Amino acid sequence: MKLFVTRNVLEELLDNKVQVFIAEESQKSFFAMAVDDQQILDNEKWKQVIERFYHFMQKQMATEAAIYTGCGKGVRDGRLPKELMKGLQELPDNIEGKLDGIHWEEESAAEDTGKKDERIETVMQYVKSHVYENISRADAAGMVFLNEEYFSKLFKAETGMTFKDYVLIEKMKMAGTLLKNTNFSVGVIASKVGFDNFSHFSRTFKKVTDYTPQEYRLHCKNKKEKS
């Protein structure tokens, strides 16, 4: 029943324009493949389909799904070639960890245009506007429907730093702005950027800026008076 429903949903999401292959691997798992050799659907449509399908499997079917993109070629006359069938049969063993999530093909248009990947931009903007939250790597990866390990790799490639370091730097930037432009106490500022422990915040701020919060506030005040 689950295979039948899954196939129907996937075909509907694909507007019945793309061939869908589905097979049971065991009583607890199965795999499905949608192959678009003729490039009937554009990248944006595929992105929408993949994200909606992933949500459906998680929310409606209560089923974990590991989705891999960009890895299916060679369909002829509605049949999978023997080589691909063999690969599909071995797929559960070949996917390292069979990790839940969407594993996007690593080739990205962003690499060709020089622009950051839109998914990474989305996460970065969210972090900047939610510095009061303690956003985990898992939270960020889930936000853009990526596997956590792949998200981490992509984020580092796009920004040159780890996600954890980026969050920390953004928190300290906001803390610096508040120290410079408000009369809030250091304890209040610490809480506004997601720190419950005053001492931890002070140590972290000094590690990032080379100033204690009090020193930074005084430095900004003196600089303003001299200008």
Side-chain angles (χ1 to χ4, degrees):
M1 183 65 171
K2 184 175 285 189
L3 271 67
F4 176 77
V5 173
T6 300
R7 178 172 189 148
N8 280 355
V9 168
L10 187 53
E11 287 179 338
E12 285 181 15
L13 288 173
L14 292 165
D15 301 326
N16 294 304
K17 294 177 179 178
V18 174
Q19 296 179 80
V20 174
F21 302 86
I22 190 163
E24 191 171 27
E25 197 269 330
S26 70
Q27 290 185 340
K28 294 184 178 180
S29 65
F30 62 91
F31 60 77
M33 173 172 275
V35 183
D36 186 12
D37 266 9
Q38 304 302 316
Q39 297 184 333
I40 297 170
L41 306 180
D42 60 26
N43 289 338
E44 186 58 33
K45 175 65 176 177
W46 270 108
K47 185 174 184 293
Q48 292 173 5
V49 167
I50 289 166
E51 291 176 355
R52 289 176 64 187
F53 180 67
Y54 180 69
H55 268 303
F56 171 80
M57 295 303 293
Q58 277 202 320
K59 305 297 183 184
Q60 303 301 318
M61 301 292 284
T63 300
E64 290 187 356
I67 300 178
Y68 292 77
T69 65
C71 57
K73 299 182 184 295
V75 178
R76 295 186 181 89
D77 302 322
R79 296 182 180 181
L80 291 172
K82 291 180 180 179
E83 295 81 3
L84 186 53
M85 275 301 295
K86 184 176 184 296
L88 283 174
Q89 291 166 357
E90 296 171 354
L91 188 59
D93 295 325
N94 290 340
I95 295 175
E96 183 179 351
K98 290 181 279 187
L99 298 171
D100 180 48
I102 301 175
H103 306 249
W104 300 97
E105 186 177 22
E106 294 191 25
E107 294 178 6
S108 170
E111 295 174 0
D112 298 328
T113 63
K115 291 177 63 178
K116 278 191 174 60
D117 188 292
E118 288 183 4
R119 295 162 294 182
I120 300 304
E121 286 282 9
T122 296
V123 171
M124 292 172 71
Q125 291 304 316
Y126 184 88
V127 169
K128 287 179 180 179
S129 58
H130 293 77
V131 289
Y132 53 89
E133 295 182 12
N134 290 314
I135 308 163
S136 70
R137 187 179 71 169
D139 292 335
M143 193 184 306
V144 288
F145 314 109
L146 291 177
N147 163 263
E148 190 176 339
E149 293 300 325
Y150 178 64
F151 167 77
S152 181
K153 180 180 177 181
L154 182 62
F155 192 93
K156 180 71 178 292
E158 291 284 322
T159 66
M161 66 182 81
T162 65
F163 176 71
K164 181 179 179 180
D165 286 345
Y166 176 77
V167 171
L168 194 62
I169 288 171
E170 289 302 317
K171 285 178 178 290
M172 295 305 103
K173 282 182 181 178
M174 178 56 72
T177 298
L178 293 172
L179 287 165
K180 180 180 179 181
N181 299 317
T182 75
N183 292 318
F184 292 142
S185 69
V186 175
V188 168
I189 291 173
S191 67
K192 285 184 176 294
V193 295
F195 281 78
D196 297 326
N197 186 293
F198 171 83
S199 298
H200 182 209
F201 167 73
S202 295
R203 289 195 301 271
T204 303
F205 190 86
K206 183 173 176 60
K207 182 178 180 180
V208 172
T209 67
D210 289 330
Y211 293 97
T212 66
Q214 295 86 348
E215 289 171 345
Y216 184 82
R217 175 168 268 169
L218 182 60
H219 169 75
C220 291
K221 181 180 179 181
N222 292 338
K223 189 174 180 180
K224 186 175 181 180
E225 289 174 351
K226 289 179 181 179
S227 60

